[in-house]
Amino acid sequence: MSSTQQPSSNKQTLFIASLIILWYSSNIEVLLLNKYLLSNYGFKFPIFLTMCHMSACAFFSYISIIFIKLVPLQPIKSRPQFLKIATLSVVFCCSVVGGNISLRYLPVSFNQAVGATTPFFTALFAYLMTFKREAWVTYAALVPVVTGVVIASGGEPGFHWFGFIMCISATAARAFKSVLQGILLSSEGEMLNSMNLLLYMSPIAVLVLVPTALVMEPNVLEVIISLGRQHRYMWLLLFINSTLAYSANLSNFLVTKHTSALTLQVLGNAKGAVAVVISILLFRNPVTAVGIGGYTMTVLGVVAYGEAKRRFR
């Protein structure tokens, strides 16, 4: 019996390990490629870049669900449900655009440090919007999360106020979307898995982002065509970057499905640290001991928060 179960167990372990590698590589690669395009390549159009990401997500989500049937299609059942999804899509847009704008001005390492404060904003919005209270120990664990970012900000050589505000706004919007999703799509008949939600949110996001890009980035098409002529791999990079954006969402869904919430949380914390190390090696942005100390404090605070939340639920 044990001999027959062993190959199956090995296959399952290998499958989960492959999913985690895909999740890590997709998330880190799309982040680094975003930074490269927006800061080092002359592609200074974060709204248009986000629109490309959402277009890829809409296309690949449709293929995955309608044709490949990766997950069952969950149809929209009412107009109110559609309006709720549209609201989430707009908040989602703001989060992604804000994050991409911040990458124009901030190093990836500092961007990730600020992004690690998501649990703080999630707890804040959950309290303000749903009056959901956690144990005092859980809130106490958020103190080093915020303190670490304050310390990291003071020790960041490449600190930029506008980039910082955009990054904080994107982090807050990401947390707000998470809480809002729990409120708006909480009834049994309206709940959607993340892949179906992405299927419906992406086209709405594209419809929002196209006019926004044309108004706020009026010369985007002219510059992109010019860049495409100067750099023959520009279109390929843009396609790979957009495909990775969908891959990051898909792999996140699959890892969530096949692992526990605790495993996902630990892996997520480690993923941010891996992204920071790789970005420093690639872009060679200067870092200080104070900045590293602040980021470390934030990550440890996030770990403590997750553990406290699990124990005192």
Side-chain angles (χ1 to χ4, degrees), residues 23-40 49 53 96 99-100 102-104 106-113 115 167 174 240-241 244-245 248 271-279 282-283 295:
W23 183 46
Y24 265 51
S25 58
S26 298
N27 278 271
I28 294 172
E29 285 169 15
V30 74
L31 177 67
L32 297 178
L33 199 47
N34 282 350
K35 176 64 177 176
Y36 177 69
L37 286 169
L38 292 167
S39 296
N40 299 60
L49 182 64
H53 290 179
V96 179
N100 285 338
S102 73
L103 285 172
R104 277 194 62 189
L106 298 176
V108 172
S109 53
F110 186 59
N111 175 280
Q112 289 295 286
C167 198
R174 186 161 57 246
I240 292 173
N241 182 247
L244 284 170
K271 177 170 62 67
V274 172
V276 167
V277 172
I278 294 175
S279 72
L282 279 179
F283 297 108
Y295 178 65

Side-chain angles (χ1 to χ4, degrees), residues 44-88:
K44 299 179 179 180
F45 304 104
I47 299 174
F48 183 84
L49 182 64
T50 306
M51 189 269 292
C52 292
H53 290 179
M54 292 299 102
S55 299
C57 286
F59 174 76
F60 288 119
S61 294
Y62 186 82
I63 297 296
S64 299
I65 295 175
I66 303 301
F67 292 103
I68 302 177
K69 302 188 184 303
L70 187 68
V71 294
L73 175 67
Q74 297 174 289
I76 296 177
K77 297 178 180 179
S78 64
R79 179 183 175 87
Q81 186 186 17
F82 171 77
L83 293 175
K84 292 174 182 178
I85 293 170
T87 303
L88 288 173

Side-chain angles (χ1 to χ4, degrees), residues 121-296:
F121 289 103
T122 303
L124 177 64
F125 287 128
Y127 179 77
L128 293 175
M129 296 167 66
T130 67
F131 304 105
K132 179 184 177 183
R133 294 185 179 182
E134 305 282 358
W136 70 267
V137 177
T138 307
Y139 288 122
L142 290 171
V143 174
V145 173
V146 179
T147 305
V149 169
V150 173
I151 293 172
S153 301
E156 175 54 52
F159 184 84
H160 189 285
W161 267 111
F162 180 70
F164 177 72
I165 291 169
M166 285 293 101
C167 198
I168 281 285
S169 300
T171 304
R174 186 161 57 246
F176 180 68
K177 183 246 175 191
S178 175
V179 175
L180 191 63
Q181 183 176 329
I183 296 171
L184 296 182
L185 300 179
S186 58
S187 66
E188 190 66 32
E190 291 186 336
M191 288 179 67
L192 299 172
N193 63 49
S194 60
M195 295 311 297
N196 273 275
L197 187 60
L198 186 66
L199 172 70
Y200 295 123
M201 285 200 309
S202 303
I204 298 171
V206 173
L207 292 176
V208 171
L209 290 167
V210 168
T212 305
L214 292 175
V215 171
M216 299 187 69
E217 300 170 343
N219 61 334
V220 59
L221 295 176
E222 178 186 341
V223 175
I224 286 175
I225 291 171
S226 176
L227 279 173
R229 288 172 180 165
Q230 295 173 35
H231 309 280
R232 57 178 178 173
Y233 295 116
M234 198 275 291
W235 296 109
L236 178 62
L237 285 175
L238 200 56
F239 174 76
I240 292 173
N241 182 247
S242 301
T243 304
L244 284 170
Y246 172 73
S247 178
N249 283 283
L250 173 63
S251 56
N252 184 71
F253 168 76
L254 293 174
V255 170
T256 305
K257 182 179 179 182
H258 291 280
T259 64
S260 67
L262 180 60
T263 302
L264 190 73
Q265 181 186 339
V266 173
L267 290 171
N269 293 332
K271 177 170 62 67
V274 172
V276 167
V277 172
I278 294 175
S279 72
I280 292 171
L281 293 174
L282 279 179
F283 297 108
R284 302 191 180 280
N285 55 285
V287 291
T288 64
V290 173
I292 293 172
Y295 178 65
T296 303

